[in-house]
Amino acid sequence: QITLKESGPTLVKPTQTLTLTCTFSGFSLSTSGVGVGWIRQPPGKALEWLALIYWNDDKRYSPSLKSRLTITKDTSKNQVVLSMTNMDPVDTATYYCAHSLTIFGVVMDAFDIWGQGTMVTVSS
Amino acid sequence: SYELTQPPSVSVSPGQTARITCSADALPKQFGYWYQQKPGQAPVLLIYKDTERPSGIPERFSGSSSGTTVTLTISGVQAEDEADYYCQSADSSGTYVLFGGGTKLTVL
């Protein structure tokens, strides 16, 4: 059974760096065809994809946020970490991590299992 | 910038059929995916690769694709289907992921 859980601060100040950790079980990021992504959702608004990291350390970022994002993995700890610099109140959102859908060993650009999400508020 | 376009809202009576569309230029090259999100919950994958349904998803949910549009069809809508629905795909080169703006389904 695959599970993911996000953790990190619930409140950050403007200009600070946000660091979120996704701790997962039921799969390994060292297995071919596996990926983990981050998606966020401001209150009352739509989902927004942020970043993806694959088993081979290939990394993808949202073009609009690329300069502020860093995604890394720690295979031994079954964790994926997302850092976002220069936080602003508009970054207030629920942040989700999710497992990439894999079909017959081929990773798809979609997410089949999601964490519960963690709410992050940016305020001074 | 590249976008996936969905109607903001769709309303339907119980037992009727709801159709939610999602349009984008790259959809003929990239697969479309659909998620259901209920208030306070994480999204749930409903449809993948345009038309496939994950195990555990009721048969009343189906997907189709034609040209630059993918469509989620909910047959025999039930009250419990009231939720936000998001389409998702990738850009034409498959470099990055995109979500549509979401459609709120109201069951009258």
Side-chain angles (χ1 to χ4, degrees):
Chain A
Q1 179 190 4
I2 290 174
T3 63
L4 306 98
K5 187 172 184 179
E6 307 85 354
S7 60
T10 57
L11 178 67
V12 297
K13 290 180 167 45
T15 76
Q16 286 187 334
T17 294
L18 171 68
T19 300
L20 294 173
T21 300
C22 176
T23 303
F24 55 84
S25 63
F27 67 95
S28 171
L29 251 180
S30 61
T31 301
S32 178
V34 175
V36 172
W38 284 94
I39 303 99
R40 72 177 179 180
Q41 185 173 38
K45 295 189 177 182
L47 300 169
E48 180 183 17
W49 172 72
L50 300 177
L52 256 171
I53 189 165
Y54 297 102
W55 81 99
N56 58 1
D57 212 36
D58 182 19
K59 301 168 186 178
R60 309 287 176 91
Y61 296 101
S62 166
S64 62
L65 293 168
K66 184 175 183 177
S67 64
R68 298 174 53 204
L69 295 173
T70 302
I71 190 169
T72 59
K73 61 181 174 70
D74 187 329
T75 304
S76 64
K77 293 183 179 178
N78 280 351
Q79 291 180 334
V80 171
V81 175
L82 181 74
S83 296
M84 180 181 292
T85 61
N86 194 24
M87 292 293 285
D88 183 271
V90 300
D91 297 313
T92 294
T94 296
Y95 287 76
Y96 296 97
C97 65
H99 174 267
S100 287
L101 173 69
T102 302
I103 305 295
F104 298 118
V106 177
V107 64
M108 302 279 113
D109 295 324
F111 307 100
D112 58 350
I113 308 294
W114 294 59
Q116 64 190 21
T118 186
M119 179 66 194
V120 177
T121 300
V122 184
S123 174
S124 55
Chain B
S1 63
Y2 184 66
E3 296 180 346
L4 299 177
T5 302
Q6 300 179 231
S9 62
V10 168
S11 298
V12 66
S13 299
Q16 292 191 329
T17 297
R19 293 181 179 85
I20 301 173
T21 58
C22 175
S23 300
D25 289 343
L27 281 172
K29 301 180 182 178
Q30 300 292 341
F31 288 120
Y33 304 86
W34 290 96
Y35 301 85
Q36 178 193 65
Q37 186 182 34
K38 295 183 178 180
Q41 298 182 18
V44 172
L45 181 66
L46 287 179
I47 299 290
Y48 66 95
K49 291 179 66 177
D50 295 341
T51 61
E52 302 297 316
R53 196 172 48 247
S55 61
I57 300 301
E59 291 183 7
R60 65 179 183 275
F61 293 94
S62 63
S64 61
S65 176
S66 179
T68 58
T69 300
V70 292
T71 302
L72 172 69
T73 300
I74 310 172
S75 304
V77 167
Q78 302 180 5
E80 68 195 51
D81 299 331
E82 187 162 284
D84 293 325
Y85 292 84
Y86 292 92
C87 67
Q88 182 244 299
S89 188
D91 70 302
S92 57
S93 65
T95 303
Y96 55 90
V97 171
L98 291 142
F99 285 93
T103 299
K104 181 174 182 58
L105 176 69
T106 300
V107 181
L108 301 170

